[in-house]
Amino acid sequence: MKKLFLTAVSVLLTTVMAMGAGYQLNLQGLRQLAMGGSGTAYAWDASTLFYNPAGLSSLNHIQASGSLLFLTPSVEYAESVGKYYTTSKSQTFTPINIYVGGPVRSGSPVAIGIGLYTPFGSGLNWGNSWTGRYVIEDIELRTYFLQPTISYKFNDVWSVGAGFVYAFGSLDMKQAVPVQNNLNNIDPQSELYGRATGIGFNAGIHIKPTKWLHIGLTYRSQVNMKTTGGSATFTDLPSSLASTFPNTTFSSTLPLPATASIGFAVKATQNLTLQFDVNFVGWQTLDSLRFNFAQNVNGADHISSPRNYRNRAAFRLGGNLKLGSGWAIMAGTAFDPTPAQATFISPDLPDADRILVTGGFTYKPAKKITLMAAIEYVTSNKINGNFDFAGFGGKYQTKALTTGIGMSYNF
Amino acid sequence: MKKLYIFLGLSAIAFASCKPNIGPDKPKAGDADFSKYLAVGNSLTSGYADGSLSRSGQINSYPNILATQFAQVGGGSFNQPLLPGESGWPTAKYVLKSGTDCNGNVVLSPVPYNFVYALDTQGSAKSIAAQGPFNNVGVPGIRCIDYLVPGYAYLAAASNHGWAARFYANPIAETPLDEALRLNHSFFTCWLGANDVLGYALAGGAGAVPGPGSNTNDISDTAQFGHTYRIVIDSLVRHGQFVNKAKGMLINVPDVTSIPYFTTIGYNSLALRSGQADTLNALYAGNPEVHFTVGTNNAFVISEPTATNNRRQIKAGEYILLSAADSIKCAGWGTVKPIPAQYVLNAQEVANIETYTTYFNQIILNTAHYYNIGYVDMNAYLKRVQSGIAYDGITFSAQFVSGAAFSLDGIHLTPRGYAMVANYIIANINTMYNANIPMANVSSYDGIKFP
């Protein structure tokens, strides 16, 4: 049954998108999403597999929990002065998360589980006629993490958990090539597409010093997504340049940064829980995006675009209020600062400090079933950014609305 | 259930505000009035490219690109003396074509564009003075010191192919300055002076330093240059719509040795295999100034009257003209035969060009300061282009053809190159006159077109 479920999910996982700072997504559980993305200190449901693997041993039953999200990001670009502006093409992405896990039998201190989720991704389509087409036209990064996990509860205060991460995904990047054909005014196109895999781990500790305070610590390791057989394809080239831009293969490594988190959950009243999380993200690992070609393209054995990301800390705040008759509501907010510096703002990921406002509710129609819904509204600063490397700049603003529905079932 | 309604209500509000809402800053003219823009200059100003003047070259001239941007800050129409055709007039412009060279290799090279030439250029020589006055009075070949010569268009018809005569109102009698002042301008740019050294450089230094002005291969005399330049700028400032206070930008003289025409053939780019090096060393036996080794870094042999047997190897800092390329490849120039002196700029000639370029640019800078008008250091900017510059995701350099900034003649610019020049002028105008004129979109102009 479990296997069948996962197979079905992998078919549904078709696209992924950009929503955290950098290309990090923070959509791995609906309750946590509804509370500003916080969830390191408290095991709300089986999605604690992602938020803190130590929480798995706190669950009372084996639980299956899943969610489907609808994400509609929108980025606007405007030249600094003048009249030109454009908005990225409207796209709706539907990431999905699925977790199954809990104590191996009722009352056991040992819990196991497995989760499939999408922690990083990015997608932006500017079309092929905009002014930045030689920098980027269309980019899509997808990642899926499959995480088998074990958790152990030492006593009522201490529990630990760890999972192995197998990551797989793809990167697809389209650009116009700035060489012109004397027959027409169509820009030649370049597409770099590669499937990538990587490994890592996710580990955490839960501490419950008192009934009203929970503390969580987690470390999600860096995952280096490696591709060796990516395809570089060039189309619509002037015939005299066909051998200058041969279709070839490339290798590349995209680092998905490590995240260390600390979280606090406070039971303020019988029905109200407040949470606060800080995520430290090791973005500095991304100093450039580099593609090494098997055959020289335009005389070069590689292309490389500098990023010089800086490490960043994101702050998340949320609350959960039980209303009775099976209802609970959640709300939260977060500040997610950009790892990108002002002279490295590229239109493939025009990143800026983001502010999130979130909300959601859960409803228990039957003893074993919980229905969940969440909504997240993201807005970035209006930034005047430049990508010095490419000589391209302007104003950007990102907004995104995410809605999600989900269900959990206790076995 | 009430909570659910609140939730849905909040979602609807969030949806409504989901679209980003930013826009470009509103352009502003600042202290200058761009309603009647006058462009004074030479071939670079006329839109000359690919070795000739054509209608599309004129449309992509930097003054026309500037006028397009000025239109967003109150700029008016921009009247250019447009040619009727695309072929280039009076000689065909270059296009890139694949062909087989003398060594049997398939190469891309610039060749004259001869598509229905006669039909396309019909009427090019006819005077269009009646359509004037013109906002762009750039004339290919014109020097600064020509600007006060009465009847210039008529006298110089041989050296400038009648480009001036076809649009000057009174080519027999008027000076180029008279023609410029006919517009009654509100703002001007002046990019004069390049031909006062370029003619000497293109002749491989076969001219006087300085010369009296009768020969375009001479470098112009500094005093004559300064005298003419100051009168021209004084007149441009005093006349026009704003008597005594017309605003404008003075653009300085580029370093001609930074353009592909002089940099494409590297002085030491001769590759030799073992047999070839030995044969050549035997040929030049006894000449202490010539020695070849196996490898890719041999210096070419040039003619030099002061050298042993009138020949020596060229040194770093000396330049070979692009026009020698075919003979180097196919006629043994630089190896079995020395490259003739008129295809080479030796160290003394390079020093002459640099010295006079510095003199002229000092005059231009002083004049800008004296009249409190703008100064554009295009010399410095084109050096930046030479070392490589990224713009709108395109990497430009002074590499011939692949650098995308310089057209197929190796001297003048591509439309994208002219757009970058226009943007550099705009950046200087914005600073000088507290303006906020938008930059031209470089990627919307053409670069080199490949077959």
Side-chain angles (χ1 to χ4, degrees):
Chain A
M1 178 64 197
K2 208 186 280 177
K3 196 176 169 191
L4 184 66
F5 204 172
L6 286 174
T7 312
V9 165
S10 67
V11 172
L12 279 169
L13 279 173
T14 49
T15 45
V16 170
M17 55 293 64
M19 264 333 74
Y23 40 86
Q24 190 168 36
L25 303 171
N26 296 288
L27 308 170
Q28 285 75 27
L30 287 186
R31 283 186 173 94
Q32 294 90 339
L33 171 63
M35 287 186 274
S38 63
T40 306
Y42 193 86
W44 290 98
D45 54 34
S47 62
T48 194
L49 260 158
F50 169 80
Y51 286 95
N52 190 337
L56 203 58
S57 55
S58 304
L59 299 180
N60 295 322
H61 314 274
I62 292 270
Q63 188 187 68
S65 178
S67 57
L68 171 66
L69 296 118
F70 302 91
L71 182 56
T72 50
S74 176
V75 184
E76 184 164 306
Y77 167 82
E79 64 178 339
S80 304
V81 191
K83 54 191 177 184
Y84 180 81
Y85 66 93
T86 185
T87 307
S88 64
K89 297 215 157 52
S90 171
Q91 300 182 91
T92 298
F93 300 105
T94 54
I96 217 164
N97 306 298
I98 185 81
Y99 306 94
V100 181
V104 287
R105 57 179 187 277
S106 189
S108 168
V110 179
I112 56 166
I114 190 161
L116 182 73
Y117 54 91
T118 56
F120 293 92
S122 162
L124 195 51
N125 184 355
W126 291 107
N128 58 14
S129 59
W130 84 299
T131 60
R133 64 193 180 277
Y134 298 124
V135 187
I136 193 71
E137 291 177 341
D138 190 1
I139 186 165
E140 195 163 307
L141 166 70
R142 307 177 190 182
T143 66
Y144 312 117
F145 279 22
L146 185 65
Q147 182 191 318
T149 303
I150 185 159
S151 167
Y152 185 78
K153 188 174 182 176
F154 292 102
N155 51 45
D156 285 345
V157 179
W158 294 87
S159 50
V160 296
F164 166 81
V165 166
Y166 173 73
F168 56 101
S170 63
L171 180 68
D172 193 1
M173 211 169 92
K174 295 183 186 125
Q175 290 165 284
V177 183
V179 291
Q180 285 169 299
N181 203 315
N182 66 1
L183 300 174
N184 55 43
N185 272 326
I186 298 169
D187 285 312
Q189 301 289 312
S190 127
E191 179 171 7
L192 300 176
Y193 175 79
R195 291 176 180 278
T197 58
I199 55 167
F201 66 90
N202 179 2
I205 304 170
H206 258 173
I207 313 161
K208 301 167 191 167
T210 72
K211 260 222 152 357
W212 57 272
L213 175 68
H214 293 193
I215 302 167
L217 296 164
T218 64
Y219 183 78
R220 293 192 281 277
S221 75
Q222 177 169 328
V223 175
N224 290 323
M225 297 294 281
K226 286 187 185 161
T227 181
T228 48
S231 60
T233 314
F234 302 94
T235 50
D236 290 328
L237 284 167
S239 58
S240 63
L241 295 178
S243 60
T244 315
F245 292 88
N247 290 337
T248 181
T249 61
F250 69 86
S251 63
S252 184
T253 300
L254 176 71
L256 305 175
T259 303
S261 302
I262 181 164
F264 303 91
V266 177
K267 230 173 156 57
T269 71
Q270 186 64 31
N271 292 325
L272 177 66
T273 306
L274 298 174
Q275 295 196 139
F276 176 64
D277 275 24
V278 184
N279 307 134
F280 303 93
V281 188
W283 284 114
Q284 209 171 312
T285 184
L286 188 70
D287 55 356
S288 68
L289 255 178
R290 186 183 163 115
F291 301 90
N292 297 308
F293 297 118
Q295 241 181 305
N296 279 9
V297 171
N298 199 19
D301 63 356
H302 74 277
I303 53 168
S304 173
S305 140
R307 298 296 146 141
N308 289 339
Y309 273 15
R310 293 168 299 181
N311 292 340
R312 277 290 173 256
F315 301 88
R316 306 177 183 283
L317 191 63
N320 179 315
L321 182 64
K322 281 189 199 162
L323 299 172
S325 358
W327 288 87
I329 55 168
M330 286 129 251
T333 184
F335 174 64
D336 198 359
T338 177
Q341 305 179 57
T343 54
F344 291 91
I345 304 292
S346 167
D348 58 17
L349 188 68
D351 208 20
D353 296 349
R354 290 157 198 255
I355 291 170
L356 286 68
V357 181
T358 63
F361 68 88
T362 58
Y363 175 60
K364 237 171 141 55
K367 201 178 168 211
K368 292 188 164 188
I369 296 171
T370 305
L371 303 177
M372 306 177 280
I375 185 163
E376 177 194 50
Y377 176 64
V378 180
T379 178
S380 80
N381 287 342
K382 296 175 184 182
I383 50 161
N384 230 325
N386 207 47
F387 191 33
D388 287 356
F389 169 74
F392 186 82
K395 299 181 186 184
Y396 298 94
Q397 189 179 25
T398 304
K399 289 192 179 182
L401 184 72
T402 306
T403 52
I405 50 168
M407 191 178 107
S408 64
Y409 183 85
N410 289 328
F411 291 96
Chain B
M1 218 43 212
K2 201 161 140 200
K3 282 105 194 171
L4 183 58
Y5 288 133
I6 294 168
F7 176 78
L8 291 174
L10 287 172
S11 313
I13 292 165
F15 253 119
S17 58
C18 187
K19 282 272 174 219
N21 186 19
I22 54 169
D25 289 349
K26 209 171 146 34
K28 64 172 178 131
D31 308 333
D33 178 332
F34 300 97
S35 58
K36 259 192 187 178
Y37 161 47
L38 168 70
V40 172
N42 50 40
S43 52
L44 291 161
T45 300
S46 69
Y48 196 96
D50 298 325
S52 192
L53 193 64
S54 69
R55 190 179 184 90
S56 65
Q58 292 175 297
I59 288 167
N60 291 308
S61 67
Y62 79 83
N64 199 39
I65 297 171
L66 281 178
T68 306
Q69 301 309 109
F70 291 165
Q72 295 187 53
V73 290
S77 62
F78 194 74
N79 187 18
Q80 298 198 100
L82 293 177
L83 284 162
E86 277 309 311
S87 297
W89 184 79
T91 52
K93 68 180 180 189
Y94 294 122
V95 290
L96 269 188
K97 208 174 169 185
S98 272
T100 308
D101 69 7
C102 57
N103 300 324
N105 299 322
V106 175
V107 293
L108 271 180
S109 53
V111 298
Y113 176 69
N114 273 326
F115 177 69
V116 292
Y117 186 80
L119 193 65
D120 187 60
T121 55
Q122 210 167 47
S124 294
K126 204 177 135 226
S127 170
I128 53 165
Q131 296 167 25
F134 295 99
N135 296 71
N136 186 346
V137 293
V139 172
I142 201 165
R143 298 169 298 177
C144 171
I145 60 166
D146 294 326
Y147 237 71
L148 302 176
V149 176
Y152 164 79
Y154 178 73
L155 296 171
S159 69
N160 73 14
H161 307 291
W163 279 305
R166 64 178 286 274
F167 74 91
Y168 275 29
N170 185 358
I172 310 272
E174 73 177 354
T175 68
L177 179 60
D178 294 335
E179 178 62 29
L181 294 176
R182 291 178 60 224
L183 182 70
N184 198 28
H185 59 275
S186 67
F187 183 84
F188 69 92
T189 60
C190 177
W191 195 1
L192 278 176
N195 287 326
D196 296 79
V197 285
L198 183 65
Y200 174 82
L202 293 179
V209 185
S214 49
N215 185 342
T216 54
N217 290 352
D218 296 345
I219 291 183
S220 299
D221 178 66
T222 315
Q224 194 184 353
F225 183 101
H227 171 78
T228 310
Y229 197 81
R230 276 184 288 269
I231 289 176
V232 169
I233 303 307
D234 188 79
S235 306
L236 291 172
V237 171
R238 284 183 195 287
H239 294 88
Q241 281 178 36
F242 302 101
V243 177
N244 286 336
K245 52 183 180 188
K247 294 183 166 70
M249 302 301 286
L250 307 188
I251 304 158
N252 74 358
V253 177
D255 177 358
V256 298
T257 59
S258 69
I259 61 179
Y261 195 81
F262 299 99
T263 57
T264 299
I265 305 170
Y267 81 96
N268 64 344
S269 60
L270 174 62
L272 294 173
R273 295 187 300 272
S274 60
Q276 294 174 312
D278 296 343
T279 310
L280 285 173
N281 281 329
L283 184 66
Y284 291 96
N287 187 332
E289 292 181 89
V290 179
H291 182 71
F292 295 99
T293 54
V294 176
T296 55
N297 290 321
N298 286 287
F300 289 101
V301 175
I302 59 169
S303 271
E304 176 78 273
T306 58
T308 312
N309 280 337
N310 297 336
R311 54 202 64 182
R312 66 167 170 91
Q313 270 172 306
I314 189 169
K315 300 187 179 98
E318 300 182 318
Y319 300 98
I320 300 164
L321 278 54
L322 187 57
S323 48
D326 283 347
S327 298
I328 287 173
K329 197 190 252 183
C330 303
W333 283 15
T335 49
V336 294
K337 292 179 212 161
I339 302 171
Q342 66 265 38
Y343 292 92
V344 172
L345 291 177
N346 67 23
Q348 181 57 51
E349 290 157 352
V350 172
N352 290 340
I353 291 165
E354 282 173 359
T355 304
Y356 278 83
T357 302
T358 308
Y359 289 158
F360 297 158
N361 285 342
Q362 192 60 48
I363 290 166
I364 295 170
L365 178 65
N366 292 347
T367 310
H369 285 166
Y370 183 81
Y371 291 101
N372 193 27
I373 52 179
Y375 176 75
V376 182
D377 191 354
M378 198 58 77
N379 182 299
Y381 186 70
L382 290 178
K383 277 181 181 151
R384 265 167 64 196
V385 172
Q386 185 188 20
S387 54
I389 199 168
Y391 218 117
D392 285 358
I394 309 165
T395 306
F396 292 94
S397 73
Q399 285 284 314
F400 190 51
V401 180
S402 66
F406 287 87
S407 73
L408 297 174
D409 58 32
I411 300 168
H412 301 89
L413 301 165
T414 59
R416 281 179 179 169
Y418 280 126
M420 286 200 294
V421 158
N423 282 350
Y424 189 63
I425 296 169
I426 288 172
N428 280 276
I429 294 174
N430 286 344
T431 309
M432 182 70 200
Y433 294 117
N434 305 309
N436 207 358
I437 302 163
M439 298 289 168
N441 176 5
V442 170
S443 65
S444 70
Y445 290 89
D446 283 340
I448 298 276
K449 295 211 163 189
F450 291 87

